[in-house]
Amino acid sequence: MSAQNVGSRGGHQAFRLHIVTWNVSTAEPPADVRSLLQLDSQPATDLYVIGLQEVNANPVRYVSDLIVEDSWSHLLMDTLAPIGYIKVTSVRMQGLLMILFAKQVHLPFIRDIQSTYTRTGLFGYWGNKGGVSVRFSFYGHMLCFLNCHLAAHMNYALQRMDEFEYILDTQDFDMNNTPNILDHKVVFWFGDLNFRIADHGMHFLRSSINNGRFNLLWDKDQLTMMKKKEPVLQEFEEGPLRFKPTYKFDRFSETYDTSGKKRKPAWTDRILWRIKPKAIETEDENSSTSSTSSADDDEYPVKVMQDMYTCDVSYGVSDHKPVIGTFNLEMRKKLESPLVTLTVDRHWSTDEDATFTYTILENFESSTWDWIGLYKIGFKSASDYSTFAWVKDDEVAANGEVVTVQIKNELPLLAGDYVLGYYSTNMQTLIAFSQTFQILESKRAVTEGQVPESINGHEK
């Protein structure tokens, strides 16, 4: 069921969510991640959330990645942008990285984006372990994504639980209705959680895996065992582990560790989710209170259905295999209209003045630092604009006021399809788009020989 083809106004729609978690062991990305992202899936994905652990974070590399995007982000953007996915946001803490992509049509309804992180490794100083999170409102529903890398080794299962609970306790957001992770309507928790398979010997482990009898190992999976006694884990759901343990492989092979250490295989890399329980009336003063009323939950429920839970063993740059979870989020939209409309009456050309109008439809925390960018179709992120104009700078436009803006910077010389996007500084995201329109090739530039040749097959 495609999000674009479902139901009438106000009805329920299904949105396809694709989550990847991968400990990349400081490796550079492979040449191609198309199968990892399942680009040919039908219906097409609406949201991609990619969580990586152990991205190369040596001090020199880490500083350079802060200035220009890391190689993993570059590859993901280069793969997804040409088919209409925009990078919405990302959060990085040393080797932990999470990136959110969405179809352009959804961006005006992804609001209140906030991210944070918690260090747990080396007493919290270096940040080699911990969690990064991104929360946002999606058509009015509060979602939170938490990417963790927890303590390693067989004997640290209790420490992993302590770290998870510490991350839940310490991460907070500047939002009245959802200040903490567990206040969100839906939480997805994933990462290299590092839980191991206890008790079984290596021979039994490997023969069970080779025979595809994964169910023989489930009872000794530490996370499954912990779920039986940890109340916070009992609120999280996980699909069945019907794929090979994802750790530890020889690189560029499907063979488990042949080094002297002979690490036992384990499902260290996991994806779980939690739908917020309804508030229960109680007189216990210590009980938590719900941030959404039960009436809201009844009128606007969110259903999460897992479509796929697997690993892709074809990738070998790391000693972990990436894990993929795909979900259908079934919900009724609380929001139907963007905050702003942008209108371009006709095509543009560098040879003429370029004007457009925008109208603020609904009150939001607008700013004179808001701007409207010109984006070539296939753009990667909000910062990937060709040129831009500030919004009305003498005062913030009033509701319903039609504001005319002229782009005074030079337009692109080559013909192409473009959109205008309104960037909200306070919301840190694009909140509105115009219809697609054409910019015509500049006659003046052609006659004067100013049109540059293509560079590496891309028009500049």
Side-chain angles (χ1 to χ4, degrees):
M1 188 158 51
S2 169
Q4 282 70 46
N5 302 317
V6 180
S8 58
R9 179 183 172 85
H12 284 77
Q13 295 193 357
F15 299 89
R16 187 175 177 85
L17 167 66
H18 186 108
I19 296 178
V20 173
T21 179
W22 193 3
N23 181 323
V24 299
S25 302
T26 73
E28 286 301 293
D32 191 333
V33 288
R34 293 178 62 83
S35 70
L36 185 68
L37 302 173
Q38 298 179 351
L39 298 184
D40 299 326
S41 66
Q42 290 298 327
T45 298
D46 294 287
L47 296 173
Y48 280 101
V49 180
I50 317 295
L52 304 178
Q53 307 86 41
E54 289 196 37
V55 175
N56 192 340
N58 70 61
V60 173
R61 184 61 178 271
Y62 186 63
V63 170
S64 73
D65 286 350
L66 293 177
I67 300 166
V68 295
E69 301 241 32
D70 64 279
S71 54
W72 286 91
S73 296
H74 271 300
L75 175 62
L76 290 164
M77 287 194 289
D78 288 346
T79 304
L80 288 169
I83 54 173
Y85 294 94
I86 317 302
K87 178 190 159 188
V88 180
T89 192
S90 64
V91 56
R92 174 91 186 259
M93 182 190 77
Q94 299 301 125
L96 274 168
L97 173 66
M98 179 160 48
I99 317 173
L100 168 67
F101 294 88
K103 280 184 177 177
Q104 182 186 317
V105 68
H106 300 313
L107 259 68
F109 305 99
I110 296 176
R111 302 178 188 172
D112 303 321
I113 302 166
Q114 289 189 12
S115 59
T116 189
Y117 58 84
T118 300
R119 296 183 174 97
T120 58
L122 290 178
F123 309 102
Y125 291 119
W126 176 236
N128 61 323
K129 295 288 196 297
V132 295
S133 61
V134 169
R135 61 88 58 209
F136 55 92
S137 159
F138 185 62
Y139 290 97
H141 297 274
M142 308 304 177
L143 309 181
C144 186
F145 295 83
L146 173 62
N147 171 25
C148 289
H149 191 186
L150 304 181
H153 304 304
M154 179 72 75
N155 298 327
Y156 285 89
L158 288 174
Q159 184 176 334
R160 289 188 269 281
M161 270 310 304
D162 288 344
E163 288 181 352
F164 177 51
E165 292 183 339
Y166 175 72
I167 290 166
L168 292 180
D169 288 343
T170 56
Q171 291 203 354
D172 52 30
F173 304 98
D174 185 21
M175 304 297 297
N176 290 332
N177 57 350
T178 51
N180 304 115
I181 289 174
L182 297 183
D183 294 326
H184 291 77
K185 188 171 277 188
V186 184
V187 176
F188 289 91
W189 172 41
F190 49 91
D192 180 357
L193 308 185
N194 253 322
F195 289 101
R196 307 303 169 100
I197 299 171
D199 299 337
H200 289 311
M202 181 70 84
H203 177 74
F204 182 79
L205 266 174
R206 293 200 172 184
S207 65
S208 300
I209 293 166
N210 290 338
N211 294 322
R213 302 185 70 184
F214 306 128
N215 58 306
L216 299 178
L217 308 176
W218 292 347
D219 285 347
K220 297 300 181 181
D221 169 70
Q222 289 179 333
L223 182 54
T224 304
M225 293 162 71
M226 284 281 184
K227 261 192 132 179
K228 294 174 182 174
K229 54 186 178 182
E230 296 287 347
V232 69
L233 290 183
Q234 290 164 14
E235 295 181 0
F236 282 84
E237 296 182 57
E238 184 182 20
L241 298 166
R242 295 198 179 110
F243 52 89
K244 281 185 173 185
T246 51
Y247 172 84
K248 173 182 173 42
F249 287 85
D250 291 343
R251 291 185 193 240
F252 300 104
S253 82
E254 295 180 28
T255 304
Y256 286 104
D257 188 14
T258 58
S259 73
K261 292 184 177 179
K262 293 270 193 307
R263 297 276 191 206
K264 285 185 178 180
W267 285 292
T268 55
D269 310 282
R270 312 287 277 268
I271 301 172
L272 298 91
W273 72 95
R274 172 190 184 269
I275 297 176
K276 186 180 173 195
K278 288 187 180 178
I280 299 171
E281 295 289 333
T282 174
E283 294 181 5
D284 180 1
E285 64 182 11
N286 295 319
S287 66
S288 61
T289 56
S290 172
S291 64
T292 54
S293 68
S294 57
D296 179 79
D297 288 338
D298 290 340
E299 187 178 1
Y300 293 101
V302 177
K303 290 183 181 177
V304 177
M305 290 157 285
Q306 189 167 53
D307 188 43
M308 177 187 294
Y309 191 29
T310 189
C311 73
D312 191 331
V313 295
S314 68
Y315 288 97
V317 297
S318 167
D319 55 357
H320 291 249
K321 301 298 183 184
V323 170
I324 300 165
T326 62
F327 301 85
N328 283 315
L329 304 185
E330 191 175 299
M331 63 178 69
R332 185 175 147 209
K333 293 178 181 177
K334 293 185 183 184
L335 307 172
E336 295 277 0
S337 303
L339 298 170
V340 179
T341 58
L342 290 158
T343 304
V344 179
D345 288 335
R346 57 190 180 85
H347 55 251
W348 284 2
S349 166
T350 303
D351 306 321
E352 302 168 7
D353 291 340
T355 60
F356 64 91
T357 61
Y358 72 88
T359 308
I360 292 182
L361 301 180
E362 190 179 319
N363 276 327
F364 68 97
E365 199 178 344
S366 53
S367 161
T368 54
W369 290 101
D370 292 353
W371 44 268
I372 294 159
L374 175 67
Y375 296 93
K376 188 170 187 180
I377 296 300
F379 69 98
K380 298 174 183 178
S381 66
S383 59
D384 189 20
Y385 51 80
S386 302
T387 186
F388 76 97
W390 295 108
V391 301
K392 185 177 181 181
D393 58 3
D394 52 345
E395 60 182 58
V396 174
N399 262 25
E401 178 186 356
V402 178
V403 181
T404 300
V405 179
Q406 182 174 347
I407 290 206
K408 295 174 182 176
N409 301 328
E410 282 202 358
L411 298 180
L413 297 174
L414 295 178
D417 292 331
Y418 288 81
V419 293
L420 294 173
Y422 186 113
Y423 185 84
S424 164
T425 303
N426 289 318
M427 294 194 200
Q428 296 286 295
T429 187
L430 289 160
I431 61 170
F433 292 98
S434 70
Q435 295 292 322
T436 304
F437 64 97
Q438 272 196 321
I439 291 183
L440 304 180
E441 193 167 90
S442 167
K443 296 183 182 66
R444 176 174 54 83
V446 171
T447 56
E448 295 176 6
Q450 295 178 25
V451 177
E453 296 177 3
S454 66
I455 300 171
N456 295 331
H458 298 289
E459 294 176 350
K460 294 293 281 184

